[in-house]
Amino acid sequence: AAQGCDVLLGATALQIAAPTVAEMRGVPYVFAAYSPNVLPSRHHAPPVYTLHGDVATDDPRQYDALWTENAARFNALFRDTLNAQRVARGLRPVDDLRSHIFTAHPWLAADPIIAPWPESGDDCVFQAGAWFMDDGQRLPPEVERFLDAGDPPVYVGFGSIRAPGNLSADTIAAARALGR
């Protein structure tokens, strides 16, 4: 799939093989995160993986240890398999798989106002802004009429998060507190 490509873009943390494929092809590799919390920082904890027993925390004193644990998990789950494939292809094994995937200069494909990189002045992370594809299609007429009928509706989207049980009620309460 990478044949003839000028660059490879890995856009999730599970692009385990992408940097190796780029190295084999002799093309640049870029990692892009869609949220700042994916990238290691002293300002936030890593993503919570409840399947691994992670517990969310807002305690900054725990962030370094949690990021260290996060890197160790990448290595424990995927490094040996990747390194076996790298060595079989004449490439040197990697020590820190997460850093190998994320690179020293990741991109942050998130809106700088809604999801800014928390370390201002850090030129290691390139904040590229949110990425949208305009599919060129118009909204169905009934949706256009609904949107034009009054005040803009409140839309709240959470993607694929594992939400706490009261998130819906809290979201509705917040909208109502704003008179919506």
Side-chain angles (χ1 to χ4, degrees):
Q3 211 165 19
C5 293
D6 295 321
V7 66
L8 288 184
L9 172 70
T12 71
L14 293 178
Q15 298 297 318
I16 308 301
T20 296
V21 172
E23 188 176 346
M24 290 170 50
R25 290 275 171 213
V27 298
Y29 164 77
V30 174
F31 176 79
Y34 295 120
S35 173
N37 77 319
V38 172
L39 300 172
S41 169
R42 59 188 167 85
H43 296 285
H44 59 255
V48 173
Y49 299 101
T50 55
L51 294 174
H52 293 285
D54 292 357
V55 177
T57 182
D58 289 327
D59 182 354
R61 296 169 297 178
Q62 296 181 26
Y63 295 168
D64 284 342
L66 291 171
W67 281 112
T68 298
E69 183 180 305
N70 176 269
R73 182 176 297 147
F74 269 84
N75 288 335
L77 291 173
F78 306 112
R79 184 180 60 191
D80 290 348
T81 301
L82 178 70
N83 280 339
Q85 295 299 317
R86 288 180 61 82
V87 169
R89 286 158 177 76
L91 301 173
R92 291 186 12 221
V94 298
D95 291 323
D96 179 358
L97 181 57
R98 187 188 65 200
S99 293
H100 178 69
I101 295 166
F102 289 1
T103 77
H105 300 285
W107 290 13
L108 178 55
D111 184 279
I113 299 206
I114 297 171
W117 179 239
E119 300 188 31
S120 64
D122 177 2
D123 60 356
C124 289
V125 173
F126 169 66
Q127 183 132 23
W131 294 350
F132 296 99
M133 286 185 62
D134 182 358
D135 65 6
Q137 296 183 18
R138 294 195 43 84
L139 293 172
E142 59 273 15
V143 174
E144 291 281 0
R145 282 192 299 277
F146 168 75
L147 293 173
D148 292 338
D151 289 337
V154 173
Y155 169 79
V156 179
F158 297 107
S160 59
I161 68 167
R162 293 181 182 263
N166 60 344
L167 185 60
S168 294
D170 289 347
T171 302
I172 291 168
R176 287 183 177 155
L178 294 170
R180 302 304 302 274

